Amino acid sequence: MAEYKEPSQRQLRVGQEIKRIIANILEKGEIRNEEVQNSFITITEARVSPDLKYCTVYLMTLNGEKINEVVDAMNSFAWFVRKQLGVKLQVRYTPEVNFKADDTFEQVDHIEKLLRDPKVAQDLK
């Protein structure tokens, strides 16, 4: 099993900058896609690989509406996002960008529901 390694300060810094740039692109409506333009999208995280050549961007939509369509649309415009990152990001290599749905809130909600279950509450006492 691969050992998980904490991201470096540089990875975190580049990830935050990528997150800011993509949020700015979305805010300006530069991605010409109906699904993207008609959705409230939040970029929750940008994880950059140790060599800074790959970046996975996690996003969510308001109430999870049309999340799969939005992720697909964002991935179809990944070339455009990468081009914008190349102009605005000051790194040697512009990372390849891959968009994924952020399901952490769903997981938290599921765990909270489990904890509120009467059978589980009984075991916790």
Side-chain angles (χ1 to χ4, degrees):
M1 187 169 147
E3 188 176 317
Y4 177 74
K5 189 177 174 189
E6 287 291 319
S8 69
Q9 285 299 315
R10 186 157 191 240
Q11 283 173 272
L12 294 171
R13 202 168 47 247
V14 171
Q16 283 295 87
E17 186 64 14
I18 289 171
K19 186 177 160 182
R20 188 190 62 74
I21 292 168
I22 294 172
N24 197 12
I25 289 169
L26 291 171
E27 189 178 311
K28 289 181 179 178
E30 293 179 17
I31 294 182
R32 306 265 184 243
N33 177 283
E34 191 175 325
E35 295 292 347
V36 173
Q37 290 183 337
N38 292 335
S39 299
F40 291 102
I41 301 171
T42 302
I43 305 298
T44 56
E45 186 179 5
R47 285 189 197 158
V48 184
S49 65
D51 61 4
L52 305 180
K53 291 185 180 181
Y54 302 95
C55 180
T56 303
V57 178
Y58 293 90
L59 57 90
M60 55 188 297
T61 57
L62 189 64
N63 297 327
E65 291 178 7
K66 298 184 179 180
I67 186 68
N68 294 328
E69 293 87 346
V70 169
V71 169
D72 290 344
M74 290 297 291
N75 278 317
S76 70
F77 279 88
W79 62 273
F80 174 77
V81 172
R82 186 173 188 216
K83 185 176 166 187
Q84 295 299 310
L85 291 175
V87 172
K88 298 172 183 169
L89 200 62
Q90 299 191 347
V91 291
R92 182 174 293 159
Y93 300 104
T94 304
E96 286 185 33
V97 181
N98 181 32
F99 292 93
K100 289 188 176 182
D102 186 345
D103 63 352
T104 53
F105 291 102
E106 288 176 21
Q107 292 172 1
V108 168
D109 191 44
H110 177 72
I111 291 169
E112 285 181 354
K113 283 179 184 174
L114 286 174
L115 291 173
R116 284 193 298 266
D117 185 292
K119 293 176 186 172
V120 175
Q122 180 182 352
D123 289 345
L124 291 174
K125 288 182 182 177

